[in-house]
Amino acid sequence: MAKTLEEKQYLVRFNCDTKSHLEVKDHDVCATKCPDKDCTIFCPADVYKWEGDRMFVGYEGCHECGSCRIGCPFDNIKWEYPKGGHGIVFRLA
């Protein structure tokens, strides 16, 4: 039986760094120029959350797919690979 997306995501493990590899360059751009908050929609890991007047980044659950760096219409997300030994670890089952 095929696994659902949620079941597959449960197999993913993370070795998180204490410093984020994701950064919103300018929070004012999100607040004033991006009414749809696209990153909160296209990120498969739901890393980006708009709360109040600010974008919060939960980098610890990032799947490192890079969709945020190409999907932000304002190029307002700085995305880097996590430093060596950190980041996502895929388990196949």
Side-chain angles (χ1 to χ4, degrees), residues 23-36:
E23 178 186 343
V24 175
K25 296 176 186 176
D26 183 349
H27 287 274
D28 288 338
V29 170
C30 300
T32 61
K33 295 183 179 176
C34 190
D36 296 328

Side-chain angles (χ1 to χ4, degrees), residues 10-82:
Y10 180 74
L11 296 173
V12 173
R13 298 292 178 248
F14 303 91
N15 180 16
C16 297
D17 194 357
T18 56
K19 184 178 182 298
S20 178
H21 64 286
L22 305 170
E23 178 186 343
V24 175
K25 296 176 186 176
D26 183 349
H27 287 274
D28 288 338
V29 170
C30 300
T32 61
K33 295 183 179 176
C34 190
D36 296 328
K37 313 298 184 257
D38 294 339
C39 60
T40 64
I41 299 166
F42 60 67
C43 175
D46 292 327
V47 166
Y48 300 92
K49 301 282 186 205
W50 183 256
E51 295 181 11
D53 61 349
R54 190 171 171 92
M55 186 64 68
F56 288 88
V57 182
Y59 72 94
E60 299 90 346
C62 177
H63 290 186
E64 298 173 30
C65 67
S67 63
C68 57
R69 69 179 157 176
I70 59 172
C72 178
F74 301 98
D75 191 31
N76 195 34
I77 297 173
K78 180 180 176 186
W79 186 98
E80 298 175 339
Y81 285 105

